[in-house]
Amino acid sequence: AQSVAQPEDQVNVAEGNPLTVKCTYSVSGNPYLFWYVQYPNRGLQFLLKYITGDNLVKGSYGFEAEFNKSQTSFHLKKPSALVSDSALYFCAVRDIGNSGGGADGLTFGKGTHLIIQP
Amino acid sequence: NAGVTQTPKFQVLKTGQSMTLQCAQDMNHEYMSWYRQDPGMGLRLIHYSVGAGITDQGEVPNGYNVSRSTTEDFPLRLLSAAPSQTSVYFCASRSSPSSGNTIYFGEGSWLTVV
């Protein structure tokens, strides 16, 4: 079975400060890992993914995430937060060997509200 | 680039009514799915399809039907709407495994059942 945990329902950061949104995962094999962002009344937008290779993945809007296999984590980071980064962020995982779990095989976390204060 | 298109965006139904949420994708993706999003529960998979003519149940399929007569379209039918089906519904499609399984989502359909 595969699972994702986003331990924080909400993260508050002052504009200009670095931000981190936490994600830990559990898979039996090797993972594909994703971050999506959802703005109010909109669908989920793909931010970045880790498939293989460099543990530091760079994505859209200046976000990056670091894959840490020993800690089974894939935290989302940004060096300097913008008010426009305020949104709901979802981490998702797929076990590379998992062809089940639906058409996409992804398991999503419950989401973390990121609030950037001016 | 249309991507994944869902209609309607907003809908209010009375208990017991039926309706269909439409979903179309123009990326020639084989895999399509429907999720519902509820506060504090993330996304839960309702039904999915691995190709035209093939559908299967996800985590929360009760009260919903799907069909996949073409690669492009994957409608979701509510058979007899209940207040518990008040939710936001997202259609999604997936690229081929060789491109790392990125899922693309529609903009969502906000459904209220009264």
Side-chain angles (χ1 to χ4, degrees):
Chain A
Q2 58 192 36
S3 65
V4 176
Q6 292 182 242
E8 302 153 317
D9 290 335
Q10 182 169 306
V11 171
N12 296 286
V13 177
E15 187 176 25
N17 283 359
L19 69 86
T20 299
V21 182
K22 295 180 180 177
C23 171
T24 59
Y25 67 91
S26 175
V27 295
S28 56
N30 292 315
Y32 288 152
L33 292 155
F34 300 80
W35 276 101
Y36 285 85
V37 60
Q38 184 182 28
Y39 298 101
N41 298 322
R42 301 295 298 277
L44 277 72
Q45 297 179 30
F46 170 73
L47 271 181
L48 52 81
K49 65 184 177 185
Y50 171 81
I51 303 299
T52 187
D54 194 348
N55 289 343
L56 184 64
V57 179
K58 294 188 183 296
S60 306
Y61 312 120
F63 283 93
E64 58 188 29
E66 185 167 12
F67 171 62
N68 187 318
K69 188 171 184 177
S70 63
Q71 297 185 4
T72 61
S73 67
F74 190 57
H75 301 330
L76 182 70
K77 300 181 180 183
K78 187 173 182 179
S80 179
L82 300 172
V83 173
S84 57
D85 293 329
S86 298
L88 181 59
Y89 290 80
F90 288 96
C91 182
V93 69
R94 176 177 174 173
D95 188 329
I96 290 177
N98 179 17
S99 60
D104 35 64
L106 286 188
T107 298
F108 285 86
K110 296 191 185 307
T112 299
H113 285 95
L114 177 63
I115 298 174
I116 309 301
Q117 296 154 333
Chain B
N1 294 335
V4 180
T5 304
Q6 286 182 238
T7 56
K9 180 102 174 173
F10 301 99
Q11 182 73 47
V12 178
L13 285 179
K14 293 182 179 179
T15 298
Q17 286 185 316
S18 62
M19 77 157 297
T20 299
L21 300 177
Q22 302 291 345
C23 176
Q25 53 92 8
D26 61 358
M27 297 174 281
N28 201 31
H29 288 169
E30 291 187 0
Y31 301 86
M32 296 185 73
S33 50
W34 277 100
Y35 288 88
R36 59 177 288 172
Q37 182 182 22
D38 301 291
M41 302 190 73
L43 281 83
R44 293 183 292 169
L45 184 66
I46 303 172
H47 284 284
Y48 66 98
S49 169
V50 298
I54 305 169
T55 65
D56 208 342
Q57 296 181 350
E59 181 184 356
V60 288
N62 292 341
Y64 308 95
N65 266 356
V66 292
S67 60
R68 186 91 180 273
S69 56
T70 66
T71 298
E72 295 77 19
D73 300 301
F74 191 45
L76 178 72
R77 298 184 190 84
L78 280 70
L79 309 172
S80 176
S84 61
Q85 293 179 303
T86 294
S87 187
V88 184
Y89 292 84
F90 290 99
C91 181
S93 70
R94 176 166 74 87
S95 53
S96 65
S98 63
S99 60
N101 302 297
T102 299
I103 295 180
Y104 298 91
F105 286 87
E107 288 291 291
S109 296
W110 275 252
L111 176 66
T112 301
V113 182
V114 297

